[in-house]
Amino acid sequence: MPRSLLSLSILSALTLPALALAQDNTANTQATPAQTPPSQEATTLDTVIVTALRQSLQTAQTIKQDADMVVDSIVAEDIGKLPDNSVADALQRITGVQVAQGGQGETTSVVIRGLPNVISTLNGREIFSGAGRGYAFQNLPATAIKTLRVYKTSEASLPLGGIAGLVDIELHRPFDFDGAQVAGTLTATDSKYGGKVDPNASLLLSNRWDTDAGEFGALVNFGYIGKHYAYDAVWGDFPKVATDGAGEPIRDDSGNLIAAPNGWGTAYNHGDRKRGAFNYALQWKPNEATEVYLEGLYDYVRDDFDQAFYFTFPVGAVTPTQLNPGRTCYPNQLSGPLSGQTICDANGGQWTGDTYAATSTQAHKQRGQDIQNALGLKWDGDQLHLSTELARTSGYYRDENFIIDTFLSGPITTVWEGTSGSHQNWYLAGDPALDPSRFYLNGLFQTWSHTAGEENSWRGDGRFDFNDGPIANLQFGLRYADRNANAKGSVEISTPPPGGAGTGNITANPNPANQVIARFDPASFFCSKRGNAALHQSFLTPCYDYLIDNADALRALYGLPAGLAPENPGRFFDIEEKKSAAYVQAKYDFEMFGIPVDGLFGVRVEKVKRNLNAFAFDASTGVYSPLSRSTDDTNTLPNASLNMHFNDEWQLRLIAAKTLSYPAFGSLNPSISLNPGTINRPGVASSGNPDLSPIEAKNYDLSLEWYYSPVGYASVGLFYRDIDGYIQNYVTNVTIGGDPYELSSPQSAGSGYLQGVELAWQQTFDFLPGAWSGLGAQLNYTYIDGETDTPQFIGGPIVTGPLQNVSKNNYNAVLFWENPNVSARLAYGYRSRYIDFFTQPTVSGNQDQVEPASSLDFSISYDVTQQTTLVFSATNLLGNDLHQFWGSGNSRPRDIRFQDRTIALGLRFKL
């Protein structure tokens, strides 16, 4: 299937011009001159056909050329015509932007030039999701978008908060259209792993009217994305020194230590997700100088999914019957008597004994929404231009999780077949996980969390235009925002089964009363999960529907009260943050040595008052006590830029600015949330850090740009960020109340830098004969390098290390072809390996590295009539998957995550 689909896509992209060329002599197409951006009026243009795709590329190019800053954008070719499902998916096409999928099969991570500290705005005003600093871009369907702009440099009028940059989402407004508009999409999407055909739909209604009271406009837009998904991961636990059943290290024939994973397992996320969005806009122009508008956005997510685990932990519990040392050797990086000794990664083994193997199902119900409404006024005089806006933003996100663990009676034989394919390959001999009689009840675990945020904000902006002189205009403004972010969550304790799991080694001596088939109908209680290229067998696990429908009965069986678990003070915080800001900046415009130059110089001052309420934890007594903390900060951020226009085609930008990013609200919570350990793993603890300071960066950018046609440019950009206090998360082994825990907490690193180069090229081949003139291409490449002074682990020595999230090599390549009726695109995106986070210390260090899946996507549309278009699209044609590793190299795979491949067929209409 993938090869044939890929072949079809490439064949379509390459042969469409030839097919059209064959008809070119009989076609009678009226050509119109391409529109010329204002800055290119002197350029002599060939006569080409202006199609929707070319128009959108030309508009995006004009935005880039005429911007005061370094800005890249995507412009929708037509209403609802962006070829991606969500805003998060669409952003990956922009130079310097990198994305990654989350565990539920959708794009959730968006970084700019390797940094995740991105601020998000909607029609120019700040927007966020729940208790986060930024907006969850996957929440908004791409069909709602008019333009996506990515600001990679900053100036005084932009909201503070993102050292990486700013993403502005521009939605349609009724005055964007000449008159009435009715447009919509209806698409059916089939997922390889999800196994269902899901509907996606959108509908936009807009009109404007001239009345005696002025001109009115009204717009409503609806969007919906349904998705049955299956996101399978197979993993190997942390690498450690392999030992026999007595705990003695095992060595190879050369006397070297041998490293093997602590265990093996799966984490399958299978679910049904529904995302919807509604936005509206009302505009009124009582006269030519004045406009009043009211607009808003509502989006929601409803996600029901099961996370099925199947795992085995034999290493160190029994002596392996075979263990195959490999050839990848290095000094053991764990402290202790074996530190520094040569250790070699094993590449296969087998263990037989009464070891712990289990399955469990986490039954999740996730709900969330974002709401924003804004009322604004604009007034344009001859020289003075004023605007003001009031906005309210709110949102929440809630996750409820109910889990039943079931373990397998012994003996268990774990077969580890090694790491071919850069993933762990394993199974249990004899398929015990398909035999219901081998299953026994273990712990019941239930948890919930709820985060919410709300903000009331006001801004006032002005611009005064000078009629002559070197200063073109003076810009100024004030901002005020009152933000509240809060979170709460339940206790996280595993409740043992009725009567206990068993005596001694519970795998060898399970409690007969807890045999699953003695308490439940296995046909109702169990569901089967498939194997894959890494896990070479299927397995049984408790069914999602059974757990959700019988949650209170299962709680009663375990001696727990009905309803959700009680609240845990360690997961509570309530933060109020008030921000006041003022800015002033001048735009200058004059000639220097006969060369026109323009730019900005200005300053922004922002005052932040923050009040934190949480609970402190005393590890010696296990008692939580109320904690309050207040901070008051003032930050001054200057900026300056110089744009040199050598002629209508060539220009050079030089930009310097100071920026900062505030710590995430959850990262400031000083309390500790404890999830006690189980038979196979230490406990998990998480904590924030109220002493975190904003991340500060001094930014320097240079960009040389050549605009040689309305849809053709080349650019090279250099950037450098001098970063202080970059916040990174670390995992450390600690002991709390006498029990071992893996504590995850954020720390401010020392000074560091991030630097790189961006190359971009866009070209339409108008000079080719006939239909071949519809061909075009886009290429962009970003190289990033960076490091910072950082603790090797919490409390450890300070070392110079790499930054999280930074992929050194990133590029996109797009081949497109369009004539008046057909449009086709083949797009490839690549992002190289990066550090996802810093783990607890292991034999290979403390880096968790990710090799993300590159993606080849294809789309083609055909205009059946002027009002209707058929659309076909396919994603991940190559079937690439994400790979995760413990440390560098490929000999210690952590995860393989099987990323979906989709095909979609749809109809787009406009009346």
Side-chain angles (χ1 to χ4, degrees), residues 727-751:
I727 297 172
Q728 304 190 131
N729 284 303
Y730 301 84
V731 177
T732 305
N733 294 319
V734 299
T735 299
I736 300 175
D739 296 321
Y741 284 87
E742 294 176 351
L743 173 64
S744 173
S745 63
Q747 300 290 316
S748 293
S751 59

Side-chain angles (χ1 to χ4, degrees), residues 667-744:
S667 298
L668 294 168
N669 182 11
S671 189
I672 296 179
S673 173
L674 300 177
N675 181 352
T678 64
I679 190 173
N680 56 291
R681 285 299 303 263
V684 175
S686 61
S687 154
N689 182 353
D691 296 322
L692 295 175
S693 299
I695 308 170
E696 294 188 357
K698 298 181 180 68
N699 306 335
Y700 307 95
D701 287 78
L702 179 150
S703 178
L704 179 63
E705 301 159 8
W706 177 31
Y707 299 91
Y708 51 83
S709 77
V711 190
Y713 77 89
S715 67
V716 56
L718 304 176
F719 58 90
Y720 183 85
R721 306 284 181 264
D722 185 356
I723 302 173
D724 186 56
Y726 190 65
I727 297 172
Q728 304 190 131
N729 284 303
Y730 301 84
V731 177
T732 305
N733 294 319
V734 299
T735 299
I736 300 175
D739 296 321
Y741 284 87
E742 294 176 351
L743 173 64
S744 173

Side-chain angles (χ1 to χ4, degrees), residues 304-385:
D304 299 319
F305 74 97
D306 67 88
Q307 188 174 33
F309 285 90
Y310 174 32
F311 50 85
T312 178
F313 287 92
V315 179
V318 296
T319 302
T321 54
Q322 63 182 58
L323 188 61
N324 308 323
R327 296 182 177 179
T328 302
C329 304
Y330 47 89
N332 176 19
Q333 297 188 45
L334 279 178
S335 59
L338 302 178
S339 178
Q341 294 189 25
T342 299
I343 188 166
C344 300
D345 293 323
N347 58 18
Q350 185 168 310
W351 292 259
T352 298
D354 290 318
T355 59
Y356 189 71
T359 71
S360 71
T361 295
Q362 299 191 9
H364 287 268
K365 293 179 66 176
Q366 296 181 340
R367 304 290 184 264
Q369 70 178 31
D370 304 311
I371 302 174
Q372 185 178 81
N373 292 283
L375 174 65
L377 170 67
K378 298 177 181 178
W379 178 80
D380 291 302
D382 292 336
Q383 290 180 268
L384 183 63
H385 309 269

Side-chain angles (χ1 to χ4, degrees), residues 419 422-423 833 851 885 888-893:
T419 60
S422 292
H423 54 71
R833 193 159 166 158
E851 187 176 295
F885 300 89
S888 59
N890 296 338
S891 60
R892 295 171 300 277

Side-chain angles (χ1 to χ4, degrees), residues 505-754:
N505 184 328
I506 64 171
T507 304
N509 301 292
N511 185 344
N514 289 328
Q515 189 178 24
V516 170
I517 61 174
R519 290 189 175 273
F520 306 103
D521 175 8
S524 300
F525 184 81
F526 283 121
C527 287
S528 178
K529 297 293 184 181
R530 61 173 176 262
N532 50 48
L535 173 64
H536 300 163
Q537 61 189 168
S538 301
F539 62 96
L540 299 177
T541 189
C543 293
Y544 175 90
D545 289 339
Y546 190 91
L547 297 181
I548 292 295
D549 296 342
N550 299 279
D552 278 342
L554 291 167
R555 290 183 179 107
L557 176 65
Y558 277 75
L560 296 171
L564 299 178
E567 188 172 337
N568 175 11
R571 302 178 68 188
F572 168 85
F573 69 79
D574 186 274
I575 298 175
E576 183 183 32
E577 184 177 82
K578 296 182 178 181
K579 294 192 293 187
S580 304
Y583 74 91
V584 61
Q585 69 180 357
K587 181 178 176 67
Y588 62 88
D589 185 354
F590 59 90
E591 285 195 2
M592 182 173 63
F593 307 114
I595 299 174
V597 297
D598 59 55
L600 300 171
F601 59 92
V603 65
R604 182 186 186 92
V605 179
E606 185 157 299
K607 184 178 181 63
V608 181
K609 291 184 176 181
R610 189 179 299 128
N611 296 311
L612 164 70
N613 292 298
F615 287 87
F617 178 72
D618 188 332
S620 62
T621 62
V623 173
Y624 291 96
S625 56
L627 168 73
S628 295
R629 188 161 182 169
S630 297
T631 58
D632 192 334
D633 246 343
T634 300
N635 298 288
T636 301
L637 295 102
N639 66 280
S641 64
L642 176 123
N643 302 324
M644 304 180 67
H645 304 275
F646 301 110
N647 53 41
D648 290 335
E649 296 181 353
W650 286 90
Q651 64 186 39
L652 175 71
R653 302 180 192 272
L654 298 170
I655 301 171
K658 182 180 178 182
T659 60
L660 64 79
S661 286
Y662 297 112
F665 289 110
S667 298
L668 294 168
N669 182 11
S671 189
I672 296 179
S673 173
L674 300 177
N675 181 352
T678 64
I679 190 173
N680 56 291
R681 285 299 303 263
V684 175
S686 61
S687 154
N689 182 353
D691 296 322
L692 295 175
S693 299
I695 308 170
E696 294 188 357
K698 298 181 180 68
N699 306 335
Y700 307 95
D701 287 78
L702 179 150
S703 178
L704 179 63
E705 301 159 8
W706 177 31
Y707 299 91
Y708 51 83
S709 77
V711 190
Y713 77 89
S715 67
V716 56
L718 304 176
F719 58 90
Y720 183 85
R721 306 284 181 264
D722 185 356
I723 302 173
D724 186 56
Y726 190 65
I727 297 172
Q728 304 190 131
N729 284 303
Y730 301 84
V731 177
T732 305
N733 294 319
V734 299
T735 299
I736 300 175
D739 296 321
Y741 284 87
E742 294 176 351
L743 173 64
S744 173
S745 63
Q747 300 290 316
S748 293
S751 59
Y753 71 89
L754 182 138

Side-chain angles (χ1 to χ4, degrees), residues 13 56 89 264 357 361 419 428 476 481 600 653 682 721 723 847 891 902 909:
S56 69
D89 292 326
W264 296 268
T361 295
T419 60
L428 299 187
F476 50 91
L600 300 171
R653 302 180 192 272
R721 306 284 181 264
I723 302 173
Q847 292 183 10
S891 60
T902 68
F909 64 88

